Amino acid sequence: MSFDNNIPTTFPDLAPRGPSGDLLLAAERAKTSFDVQKLSEFMYTKEWLERMDKVLQVIESEPAFDKTNRYFESREAKIASGLRKDKRVVELIKEHNWDETDSQIAYFLFDQSTPFTLHYNMFIPTLRSQTTDEQKKLFLEPALKHHIIGCYAQTELGHGSNVQGIETTATYIPETNEFEIHSPTLTAAKWWIGGLGTAATHAIVMARLITDGKDYGPHPFCVHIRSLEDHRPLPGITVGDIGPKFGFNSVDNGFIMFDHYRVPHISFLAKYSKVKPGTGEYIKPPNAKLSYGTMVFVRANIVMGSRYAMAKAATIAVRYSAVRQQFVDAANPRKWDKKVIETPVIDYTMQQYRLLPTVAAAYACFFTGREMIRLYNLNQEAMQQGNFDLLADLHASSSGLKSLTTTMAIDAIEDCRRACGGHGYSMFSGLGMFYQDYLPNVTWEGDNYILTQQTARYLLKTLRNVVAGKAVPSEYNPTITYLTQFLQNPKAKCPATAPSDFLNPELILSAFGFRAAYGIAQVAEQIDRQGRSWNSMLVEISRISKAHCQFVLVRNFIVTLQNDPSLAAPEMRPIVKVLRSMATLFALHTMEKELAEFVLSGYISSEQTKMLKDQVISLLEQIRPDAVALVDAFALPDYYLHSALGRYDGKVYEAMTKMAEREPLNHTQVVAGYEECIKPLISQGKAAGRWKEDGSLQIAKL
Amino acid sequence: MSFDNNIPTTFPDLAPRGPSGDLLLAAERAKTSFDVQKLSEFMYTKEWLERMDKVLQVIESEPAFDKTNRYFESREAKIASGLRKDKRVVELIKEHNWDETDSQIAYFLFDQSTPFTLHYNMFIPTLRSQTTDEQKKLFLEPALKHHIIGCYAQTELGHGSNVQGIETTATYIPETNEFEIHSPTLTAAKWWIGGLGTAATHAIVMARLITDGKDYGPHPFCVHIRSLEDHRPLPGITVGDIGPKFGFNSVDNGFIMFDHYRVPHISFLAKYSKVKPGTGEYIKPPNAKLSYGTMVFVRANIVMGSRYAMAKAATIAVRYSAVRQQFVDAANPRKWDKKVIETPVIDYTMQQYRLLPTVAAAYACFFTGREMIRLYNLNQEAMQQGNFDLLADLHASSSGLKSLTTTMAIDAIEDCRRACGGHGYSMFSGLGMFYQDYLPNVTWEGDNYILTQQTARYLLKTLRNVVAGKAVPSEYNPTITYLTQFLQNPKAKCPATAPSDFLNPELILSAFGFRAAYGIAQVAEQIDRQGRSWNSMLVEISRISKAHCQFVLVRNFIVTLQNDPSLAAPEMRPIVKVLRSMATLFALHTMEKELAEFVLSGYISSEQTKMLKDQVISLLEQIRPDAVALVDAFALPDYYLHSALGRYDGKVYEAMTKMAEREPLNHTQVVAGYEECIKPLISQGKAAGRWKEDGSLQIAKL
């Protein structure tokens, strides 16, 4: 090629066909019925929003936090830029005197995990909760100073959910007061361990403790794995990265195998159980239930995370739907400057039906996440005083809620992506990689299917207690309340006689409670009386967990709107009004999705389902003018969204073309493979004399 | 670093904990009730299977067709290797004397689209169907010889589904007998055009034809865009790649903008409409309906494709579920060599419930795809003779079936991926990239939501005709038949009195027909009598399309099993038996998913739903022993699957570790970013004197 090939492709300086996105979004915002800023402050507090702004200003100008290349990076580039950010955060903490909340906000806004993520999220918390004071000095202090970098190695190649089945052993050697960590088979390889692939110098290793001639099952060890001198794997260790994943490729999920690898006695994390030096005698932990509290906290945060996920997806899809125009709606033509324009897709009922329930679900998960954290704190206090009463209900609900809300969120991301039409498939939508990166939430901290069994077990036990008169209704346990009500009147009917009756919160709660109780009673009947096995009932079992958790989501939403003192002020009235619509839409849309169960329970009649559907359509119409404002209130900055479609200013097409200009393939005029692969084929046509000197087709000749 | 960093990480030579995958799968295959090879031959024919084997042997040893690096390639590498394969195929066709079927099989087995894919799938077919003889010489002949490479440019940045809304213009210039192609705005940029980003020298451009002072709407032009001399964009053209997508990154989807770009008169594809040279007079095409036939064919192929997608996903998930063991099932412990082992997950009802209906759905789509192709051929013959009777029903059903089956397939891929637990998230599962690459099927050839409207319009029209006595039942139109039956007895009830009654094919078909008809009648009632707008009914409208198409899928499956002569031979009995179970499972599982509609139609009672659910569980138990054989019968070779989890030999863990060894991050002992990002942090600990010469922690000192 004799010409200069290194000329990047740029778009001509043209505007999109009007009305442009910024004007369309401004028109949407002019219709808002409530104070967006006030709603944001209600959810986040003013202080937190100001803090977010401050952190945002810092990182937006930091090269290590630049997102420009996010959608173009190869796997290796992702790891390299992740490590650079990890290092830069440590410096920023010093430079700006950031506290933990500030750096959490920075990570939240950057919205991509890194090789150090598990150091912060699992290594340090485990060291905090499972170590003796001596171990804190040895492991936790250097970890906090980044003198060692850690990960948490539990899952094995052959063992995921079933922790009891792991194969790695840690055998106590009395002679040297050491443990010998060993991987006896290929399936014993630790696998999926975030941070282990490239970064970690240390790992919390879950291994079967063998001492005193006995196998005591999985216990945690803090194991030194890579040299602090040159980062090479220490002798006896095989360690590396497990390779590309569907998402999460900015994290170096790794594997590790141990070949009779010796660690000192102090590596055994000994806050709860202990192994006596010399004799190897095993001393049991005092109360295994204590650790359940932490799981509740982790799951409450996952529920809150599901809310951010839905809020992000909905923000992008709703804003873009107000900008994207398709077809002239002949029955109801949209006009602009007195001329008919193509209708913004958000005006189509189908699009509202696809998107607005997700907006409502994001709000629902916010209220339940908040309630879970409140209950977690209540329970921690109670447990300190030896009271474990709250724990069972809280732990059981948290399993099912984690399962339900993460499934809701992942479905919402994908639904929103598809609702963006073709451009949703572009990485520039911000929804594709987001879906891929969010996905592990449905598997980690308990597979979503398996978790529902924990909730269901509790529900069945509670039902048996209520039947036996061993549990009475209390305001702290709504489960007992709805089960009791159901047992008192198992033939109850929904009193609705008109669509608007479905706006009544009491009616909604009764319906959700009745349907959950009916399902639980059916399962109990089949297991307890008809002798059906647990395994053969797993489908129904996951359904009752879901039914219960949908009740909890609806209840927390409704109850908070009724009771939260900060919503009582007169200036909050428009906000309460729109949130009530959100709560009702969430509840009724959920009922519609699960209609079969409501109908089969005998509570809802065929006639009432028509009213219900009509009421959902009415709600969509009613909420429609506030659609953009409701996602604006999530207060998610453009930097966080990193989406051409979801920009606050609506300049969708300008952003799509700007981002396309950055595509590496567009940095040259002619693709690299041309000479090798395309030219030889085309040249044969040239030999056939098909074209002119200037390269155009020889039309005249044919 | 003074050591040699370029030592790749390799796994120790250990076996997985037994029983290993190959033994577990062999045990599964020993349980099979039918002849797997015979079932494969029934579906594909023996000839086709032999041909596939022959092509497979060729490409498996071709470097250009090597899949080893598939999951590690960056975007640019994908394009480069795609172009290499495109070139190599042209050579292989000559070397092995391949015909079109052979090269289609090669592309199918390679299972990744390339820059030339749209040349074959859209450019050449369009040239075949839309050109005059003169144009065939000028464009089609060189295209077939790869002397020019083409693409199909319809969608614009601002216009997807609404083709009528595209902005690109082609204005006839009588003075020079040329057309001037122009992009008036940024949103007029052609966007998403496969093959345009790097490869194409020509494009079929859909542009609004303006001639004779009038705008005649979108028409196709064959436009020369890159020089045949050096591949540079021709003057007046801005062309490039639209950037990374959620999937399909091996294709160079591109954009193009035209700045008053002149093309000769012959560029206008003139098989149907014409523009008179000189005067510019527009001559209308004879019958627009002719092109509907092609759409049916394309959609039939998409339905067949959905079947491959489900078959592939199910093959991987079912085989892996027979290998993967989790938990000891205390109620029903699995034994091996007289010892209790963890239970293969396929033994859990929940896993069967998640997977076996997908196996059944793959078979269902096979039978419907086959039927669509048969009807397409029938219709082509009929249309040749001026008979358009079949077309309306066929075209309408094909829209909804495309929508339904691609949605089923994409959901199935993701369900199967999640059913593989943690390892499903690894790219080595073969399901992640597959999901991403399959996704465009739900959007292209008509967005799945929009397509359902075409089907629904036809259903409503047919109902009105039946009511008006203008349509009578015939064996060629089952729609009219079920609508007529419903109108004759709109209060009919399902006669089932025991779970086994749901095995009756007539009962199943009646239920599906009744439920579809009920839904159609409800929508007609609301639109025709209550005056509801089409827009406000879109949710219900998509539901009736789905209900109808589910009826079609169930019917084609059942009817073929009853009537296909090649199934009548006695040695086919075990196959017919297992296929009947598949048909019933598909039907009953679909009923269960859509239970609300069946119950609300009044046809199925609450008691009957319990029977239905029991029958589904019984069917799962009954099919369980044949699960692996049923996916083996899809005859998808390991090369095609390219999955560590779905291998025929079940050596899952060996494959996972072998593939992980290829991860580029594992080609060195220490990650590239160590010196820059990790060492400076850790060194501060060194300064604090925390460790010994050999790099291990200074435990004694603390």
Side-chain angles (χ1 to χ4, degrees):
Chain A
M1 278 177 266
S2 58
F3 61 91
D4 179 7
N5 193 27
N6 295 315
I7 302 170
T9 303
T10 53
F11 280 83
D13 189 20
L14 288 172
R17 184 168 73 170
S20 59
D22 47 346
L23 299 176
L24 285 163
L25 281 189
E28 290 292 336
R29 291 182 177 120
K31 291 189 279 190
T32 307
S33 76
F34 64 93
D35 184 331
V36 171
Q37 180 66 20
K38 274 216 164 62
L39 177 50
S40 302
E41 287 171 9
F42 164 72
M43 287 191 285
Y44 299 95
T45 76
K46 200 173 174 180
E47 294 66 41
W48 194 89
L49 288 169
E50 283 169 0
R51 209 196 258 249
M52 182 175 74
D53 270 351
K54 236 169 86 184
V55 173
L56 181 62
Q57 275 174 35
V58 171
I59 63 174
E60 271 194 314
S61 57
E62 277 292 331
F65 280 82
D66 182 28
K67 289 188 180 181
T68 312
N69 289 318
R70 169 154 304 180
Y71 303 131
F72 303 108
E73 283 176 339
S74 70
R75 177 91 210 285
E76 290 99 314
K78 284 194 173 93
I79 297 291
S81 64
L83 285 171
R84 267 195 292 280
K85 188 168 66 69
D86 283 330
K87 185 192 166 218
R88 186 66 189 135
V89 168
V90 178
E91 296 164 355
L92 287 172
I93 288 170
K94 282 187 195 149
E95 287 172 27
H96 296 276
N97 206 16
W98 278 356
D99 65 11
E100 218 173 308
T101 306
D102 293 315
S103 59
Q104 274 168 7
I105 291 175
Y107 275 101
F108 163 72
L109 289 170
F110 188 70
D111 199 31
Q112 188 173 69
S113 298
T114 63
F116 282 18
T117 297
L118 277 290
H119 175 75
Y120 294 113
N121 293 359
M122 287 297 290
F123 187 64
I124 287 177
T126 306
L127 290 177
R128 276 206 175 110
S129 64
Q130 309 265 328
T131 49
T132 62
D133 288 346
E134 191 188 0
Q135 288 173 325
K136 281 193 175 61
K137 264 202 189 129
L138 186 65
F139 300 121
L140 179 60
E141 281 183 18
L144 288 169
K145 291 176 182 159
H146 303 91
H147 296 167
I148 62 175
I149 306 298
C151 62
Y152 183 86
Q154 176 171 301
T155 308
E156 294 179 355
L157 183 56
H159 294 85
S161 299
N162 182 15
V163 181
Q164 294 304 317
I166 61 167
E167 299 181 60
T168 305
T169 53
T171 310
Y172 183 66
I173 314 289
E175 293 72 20
T176 56
N177 195 29
E178 289 175 313
F179 293 94
E180 187 172 281
I181 316 261
H182 186 61
S183 316
T185 67
L186 193 64
T187 35
K190 293 291 174 187
W191 204 267
W192 283 111
I193 316 306
L196 177 60
T198 68
T201 62
H202 286 67
I204 307 286
V205 175
M206 289 296 276
R208 317 187 70 81
L209 171 65
I210 296 171
T211 183
D212 214 7
K214 266 181 73 180
D215 179 339
Y216 289 93
H219 283 75
F221 296 78
C222 185
V223 179
H224 184 194
I225 57 168
R226 281 190 179 95
S227 162
L228 294 171
E229 192 65 41
D230 58 16
H231 211 59
R232 289 162 79 176
L234 295 174
I237 280 174
T238 306
V239 61
D241 185 280
I242 64 162
K245 294 143 292 185
F246 189 48
F248 229 67
N249 281 308
S250 53
V251 174
D252 54 336
N253 295 77
F255 62 82
I256 191 165
M257 296 191 78
F258 301 94
D259 182 7
H260 300 92
Y261 185 74
R262 294 284 182 99
V263 297
H265 177 269
I266 199 165
S267 303
F268 178 79
L269 298 191
K271 171 82 174 277
Y272 298 112
S273 10
K274 297 184 198 305
V275 172
K276 273 204 180 160
T279 68
E281 186 196 343
Y282 179 73
I283 299 158
K284 270 204 294 194
N287 189 339
K289 278 188 183 172
L290 276 169
S291 62
Y292 283 17
T294 316
M295 278 164 83
V296 170
F297 184 71
V298 170
R299 286 172 185 166
N301 278 312
I302 292 183
V303 171
M304 270 299 194
S306 74
R307 172 272 186 130
Y308 278 111
M310 285 185 263
K312 176 174 174 177
T315 300
I316 293 170
V318 168
R319 286 183 183 157
Y320 176 50
S321 295
V323 172
R324 176 184 172 212
Q325 303 159 56
Q326 291 280 329
F327 298 102
V328 171
D329 184 3
N332 185 23
R334 172 77 175 255
K335 289 189 180 176
W336 191 272
D337 284 346
K338 292 176 189 165
K339 270 181 269 176
V340 171
I341 59 170
E342 285 188 89
T343 297
V345 293
I346 199 172
D347 280 338
Y348 293 106
T349 313
M350 188 57 149
Q351 192 75 355
Q352 294 161 18
Y353 191 81
R354 290 171 85 179
L355 297 181
L356 297 183
T358 294
V359 180
Y363 281 99
C365 289
F366 164 72
F367 287 107
T368 281
R370 210 171 68 152
E371 179 65 8
M372 284 173 80
I373 289 166
R374 193 183 71 85
L375 289 175
Y376 163 77
N377 288 325
L378 265 184
N379 173 59
Q380 289 300 98
E381 280 172 38
M383 286 203 307
Q384 296 289 341
Q385 288 148 29
N387 176 354
F388 292 87
D389 290 353
L390 248 178
L391 189 61
D393 192 82
L394 187 56
H395 180 250
S397 290
S398 79
S399 311
L401 281 168
K402 182 270 171 186
S403 170
L404 174 62
T405 60
T406 55
T407 302
M408 283 164 63
I410 198 70
D411 290 347
I413 298 169
E414 182 63 2
D415 288 347
C416 286
R417 200 189 58 68
R418 291 190 202 171
C420 289
H423 293 339
Y425 194 64
S426 167
M427 274 300 185
F428 305 153
S429 73
L431 291 168
M433 193 180 283
F434 180 41
Y435 178 82
Q436 296 171 282
D437 288 347
Y438 186 79
L439 252 179
N441 281 283
V442 310
T443 307
W444 66 27
E445 291 300 323
D447 178 275
N448 276 2
Y449 276 90
I450 291 173
L451 277 182
T452 57
Q453 297 185 45
Q454 296 180 8
T455 306
R457 266 196 203 93
Y458 166 79
L459 295 171
L460 291 167
K461 191 174 143 193
T462 307
L463 176 76
R464 291 181 196 116
N465 285 340
V466 172
V467 169
K470 283 192 272 179
V472 288
S474 86
E475 64 171 308
Y476 297 108
N477 193 317
T479 315
I480 297 174
T481 306
Y482 75 62
L483 286 169
T484 306
Q485 282 169 355
F486 170 78
L487 289 169
Q488 283 165 355
N489 188 6
K491 299 274 175 203
K493 303 278 170 210
C494 173
T497 56
S500 61
D501 289 343
F502 280 100
L503 300 174
N504 178 350
E506 297 311 319
L507 184 148
I508 290 171
L509 279 178
S510 299
F512 274 89
F514 190 93
R515 166 255 192 160
Y518 176 86
I520 297 164
Q522 290 282 316
V523 172
E525 160 80 20
Q526 296 193 54
I527 290 178
D528 296 352
R529 303 219 184 153
Q530 299 171 18
R532 290 280 294 269
S533 74
W534 186 261
N535 181 16
S536 76
M537 292 293 295
L538 287 174
V539 178
E540 307 297 319
I541 279 163
S542 83
R543 285 193 184 133
I544 61 175
S545 168
K546 190 181 190 185
H548 169 74
C549 292
Q550 287 174 333
F551 166 83
V552 172
L553 283 173
V554 170
R555 182 175 182 274
N556 286 335
F557 203 160
I558 287 175
V559 169
T560 311
L561 292 184
Q562 287 168 345
N563 298 345
D564 192 306
S566 61
L567 291 172
E571 75 267 24
M572 295 300 276
R573 264 177 221 156
I575 286 176
V576 173
K577 190 174 168 223
V578 75
L579 286 179
R580 272 205 194 120
S581 299
M582 287 274 99
T584 316
L585 177 64
F586 173 69
L588 300 190
H589 181 260
T590 304
M591 283 178 78
E592 217 187 331
K593 268 196 312 182
E594 314 289 352
L595 204 49
E597 291 186 24
F598 283 91
V599 172
L600 289 172
S601 74
Y603 195 72
I604 301 277
S605 72
S606 172
E607 265 316 297
Q608 286 169 332
T609 65
K610 284 173 201 157
M611 299 173 199
L612 171 66
K613 285 178 187 196
D614 284 348
Q615 191 52 58
V616 168
I617 301 290
S618 302
L619 278 166
L620 295 177
E621 270 172 45
Q622 185 190 322
I623 294 164
R624 161 72 190 86
D626 283 323
V628 169
L630 281 164
V631 299
D632 284 351
F634 293 135
L636 302 175
D638 281 348
Y639 172 82
Y640 170 72
L641 299 174
H642 197 53
S643 162
L645 308 184
R647 294 166 61 91
Y648 186 85
D649 68 6
K651 295 193 171 180
V652 166
Y653 302 113
E654 296 90 329
M656 287 290 282
T657 48
K658 273 284 158 264
M659 286 169 110
E661 284 178 355
R662 294 187 177 275
E663 162 61 46
L665 288 169
N666 296 333
H667 295 170
T668 58
Q669 294 282 295
V670 174
V671 69
Y674 166 68
E675 292 284 337
E676 180 193 340
C677 306
I678 300 177
K679 196 174 180 179
L681 297 175
I682 288 179
S683 303
Q684 294 166 20
K686 191 177 174 182
R690 282 208 190 272
W691 68 77
K692 292 191 269 183
E693 288 297 293
D694 69 352
S696 65
L697 260 181
Q698 191 70 278
I699 289 164
K701 269 201 183 169
L702 285 161
Chain B
M1 278 178 264
S2 58
F3 61 89
D4 179 6
N5 193 27
N6 295 316
I7 302 169
T9 302
T10 53
F11 281 84
D13 189 21
L14 287 172
R17 185 168 71 170
S20 58
D22 47 347
L23 299 177
L24 286 163
L25 281 189
E28 290 292 335
R29 291 182 177 120
K31 290 188 279 190
T32 308
S33 76
F34 63 94
D35 184 331
V36 171
Q37 180 67 21
K38 274 217 165 59
L39 177 50
S40 302
E41 287 171 8
F42 166 71
M43 287 191 285
Y44 300 95
T45 76
K46 198 171 176 181
E47 294 66 39
W48 194 89
L49 288 169
E50 283 169 0
R51 209 197 259 248
M52 182 175 75
D53 268 352
K54 234 169 86 185
V55 173
L56 180 63
Q57 275 174 35
V58 172
I59 64 174
E60 270 194 315
S61 57
E62 277 292 329
F65 279 83
D66 182 29
K67 289 188 180 181
T68 312
N69 289 318
R70 169 153 303 180
Y71 303 131
F72 303 108
E73 283 176 338
S74 69
R75 178 90 209 287
E76 290 98 316
K78 284 193 173 96
I79 297 290
S81 64
L83 285 171
R84 268 195 292 281
K85 187 168 65 69
D86 282 331
K87 184 191 167 218
R88 186 66 189 135
V89 168
V90 178
E91 296 164 357
L92 287 172
I93 287 170
K94 282 188 196 146
E95 288 173 25
H96 296 276
N97 206 15
W98 279 356
D99 64 12
E100 218 173 308
T101 305
D102 293 315
S103 59
Q104 274 168 7
I105 291 175
Y107 274 100
F108 162 73
L109 289 170
F110 188 69
D111 199 31
Q112 187 172 69
S113 298
T114 63
F116 283 18
T117 297
L118 277 290
H119 175 76
Y120 295 112
N121 292 0
M122 287 297 290
F123 187 64
I124 287 176
T126 305
L127 290 177
R128 276 207 174 112
S129 63
Q130 309 265 329
T131 49
T132 61
D133 289 347
E134 191 187 2
Q135 288 174 326
K136 282 192 174 62
K137 263 202 190 130
L138 186 66
F139 301 121
L140 179 60
E141 281 183 17
L144 288 169
K145 291 176 183 157
H146 302 92
H147 296 166
I148 62 174
I149 306 297
C151 61
Y152 183 87
Q154 176 171 300
T155 308
E156 295 179 354
L157 183 55
H159 295 86
S161 301
N162 182 14
V163 180
Q164 294 304 318
I166 61 166
E167 299 181 59
T168 305
T169 53
T171 309
Y172 182 65
I173 312 289
E175 292 73 21
T176 57
N177 194 29
E178 289 176 316
F179 293 93
E180 187 173 281
I181 317 261
H182 186 61
S183 317
T185 67
L186 193 64
T187 36
K190 294 292 174 187
W191 204 267
W192 282 112
I193 316 306
L196 177 60
T198 68
T201 62
H202 286 66
I204 306 286
V205 175
M206 289 295 277
R208 317 186 70 79
L209 170 65
I210 296 172
T211 183
D212 214 6
K214 268 180 74 179
D215 179 339
Y216 289 93
H219 283 76
F221 295 78
C222 185
V223 179
H224 185 195
I225 57 168
R226 279 190 180 94
S227 161
L228 294 172
E229 190 65 41
D230 59 15
H231 212 59
R232 289 163 79 179
L234 296 174
I237 280 174
T238 308
V239 60
D241 185 280
I242 64 162
K245 294 143 293 184
F246 189 49
F248 228 66
N249 281 309
S250 53
V251 174
D252 55 337
N253 295 78
F255 61 82
I256 192 165
M257 296 191 76
F258 301 94
D259 182 7
H260 301 92
Y261 184 76
R262 294 285 183 97
V263 297
H265 177 268
I266 200 166
S267 302
F268 177 80
L269 299 191
K271 171 82 173 277
Y272 299 111
S273 12
K274 296 184 198 307
V275 172
K276 272 203 179 162
T279 67
E281 184 196 343
Y282 178 73
I283 300 158
K284 271 205 291 191
N287 190 338
K289 279 188 181 171
L290 277 168
S291 62
Y292 284 16
T294 315
M295 277 164 84
V296 170
F297 184 72
V298 169
R299 285 172 185 165
N301 278 311
I302 291 182
V303 171
M304 270 300 195
S306 74
R307 172 272 184 129
Y308 278 111
M310 285 185 263
K312 176 175 173 177
T315 300
I316 293 170
V318 167
R319 286 183 184 158
Y320 176 50
S321 295
V323 172
R324 176 185 173 211
Q325 303 159 56
Q326 291 281 329
F327 298 103
V328 171
D329 184 2
N332 186 21
R334 173 78 175 255
K335 288 190 180 174
W336 191 272
D337 284 345
K338 292 177 188 164
K339 270 180 271 173
V340 170
I341 59 170
E342 286 188 88
T343 297
V345 293
I346 199 171
D347 280 338
Y348 293 106
T349 314
M350 189 57 148
Q351 192 74 356
Q352 294 161 18
Y353 191 81
R354 291 171 86 178
L355 296 181
L356 297 183
T358 294
V359 180
Y363 281 99
C365 288
F366 163 73
F367 288 106
T368 281
R370 210 171 69 151
E371 179 66 7
M372 284 173 80
I373 289 166
R374 191 183 71 86
L375 289 175
Y376 163 77
N377 288 326
L378 266 185
N379 174 59
Q380 289 300 100
E381 281 172 37
M383 286 204 306
Q384 295 290 339
Q385 288 148 30
N387 176 357
F388 292 87
D389 290 353
L390 248 178
L391 188 61
D393 192 82
L394 186 56
H395 181 251
S397 290
S398 78
S399 310
L401 282 168
K402 181 269 173 186
S403 171
L404 174 61
T405 60
T406 56
T407 302
M408 283 164 62
I410 197 71
D411 290 348
I413 298 169
E414 182 63 3
D415 288 348
C416 286
R417 200 189 59 68
R418 291 190 203 171
C420 289
H423 292 338
Y425 194 64
S426 167
M427 273 300 185
F428 305 153
S429 72
L431 291 168
M433 192 178 283
F434 180 41
Y435 179 82
Q436 296 171 280
D437 288 347
Y438 186 79
L439 253 179
N441 281 284
V442 309
T443 307
W444 65 28
E445 292 301 323
D447 179 274
N448 277 2
Y449 276 90
I450 291 174
L451 277 183
T452 57
Q453 297 185 45
Q454 297 180 6
T455 305
R457 264 194 205 96
Y458 166 78
L459 295 171
L460 292 168
K461 192 174 144 193
T462 307
L463 176 75
R464 291 180 197 117
N465 284 341
V466 172
V467 169
K470 284 193 270 177
V472 288
S474 87
E475 65 170 309
Y476 298 109
N477 193 317
T479 314
I480 296 175
T481 306
Y482 75 63
L483 286 168
T484 306
Q485 282 168 355
F486 170 77
L487 291 169
Q488 283 164 355
N489 187 7
K491 299 275 176 205
K493 304 278 170 211
C494 172
T497 56
S500 62
D501 288 342
F502 279 100
L503 299 174
N504 178 349
E506 298 311 317
L507 184 147
I508 290 171
L509 279 178
S510 299
F512 273 89
F514 189 92
R515 165 255 192 163
Y518 177 86
I520 297 164
Q522 290 283 314
V523 172
E525 160 79 19
Q526 296 193 57
I527 291 179
D528 297 351
R529 306 221 182 153
Q530 298 172 20
R532 290 281 295 270
S533 74
W534 186 261
N535 181 14
S536 76
M537 292 293 295
L538 287 173
V539 177
E540 306 298 319
I541 279 163
S542 82
R543 285 193 185 134
I544 60 174
S545 167
K546 191 181 188 184
H548 170 74
C549 292
Q550 287 174 334
F551 166 83
V552 173
L553 283 173
V554 169
R555 182 174 181 275
N556 286 335
F557 204 159
I558 287 175
V559 168
T560 310
L561 292 184
Q562 287 168 343
N563 298 345
D564 193 307
S566 61
L567 291 172
E571 76 267 24
M572 295 301 276
R573 263 177 222 156
I575 286 175
V576 173
K577 188 173 170 226
V578 76
L579 286 179
R580 272 205 192 119
S581 299
M582 287 274 101
T584 316
L585 178 64
F586 173 70
L588 300 189
H589 181 260
T590 304
M591 284 179 77
E592 216 187 334
K593 270 196 310 184
E594 314 289 351
L595 203 50
E597 290 185 25
F598 284 92
V599 171
L600 290 172
S601 74
Y603 196 72
I604 301 276
S605 72
S606 172
E607 265 316 298
Q608 287 169 331
T609 66
K610 283 173 203 157
M611 300 172 197
L612 172 65
K613 286 178 187 196
D614 284 349
Q615 191 51 59
V616 169
I617 300 290
S618 302
L619 278 167
L620 295 177
E621 269 172 46
Q622 186 191 322
I623 295 163
R624 161 71 189 88
D626 282 322
V628 169
L630 281 164
V631 299
D632 284 351
F634 293 135
L636 302 175
D638 281 348
Y639 171 82
Y640 170 73
L641 299 173
H642 196 52
S643 162
L645 307 184
R647 295 165 60 92
Y648 186 85
D649 69 5
K651 295 193 172 180
V652 165
Y653 302 112
E654 296 89 329
M656 286 290 281
T657 49
K658 272 285 158 265
M659 285 170 111
E661 284 179 356
R662 294 187 178 275
E663 162 60 47
L665 288 169
N666 296 334
H667 295 170
T668 59
Q669 294 282 295
V670 174
V671 68
Y674 166 68
E675 291 284 337
E676 180 194 340
C677 306
I678 300 176
K679 196 174 182 181
L681 297 174
I682 289 180
S683 303
Q684 293 166 19
K686 191 176 176 185
R690 281 205 189 274
W691 68 75
K692 293 191 267 185
E693 288 296 292
D694 70 352
S696 65
L697 262 180
Q698 191 71 276
I699 290 163
K701 268 200 182 169
L702 285 159

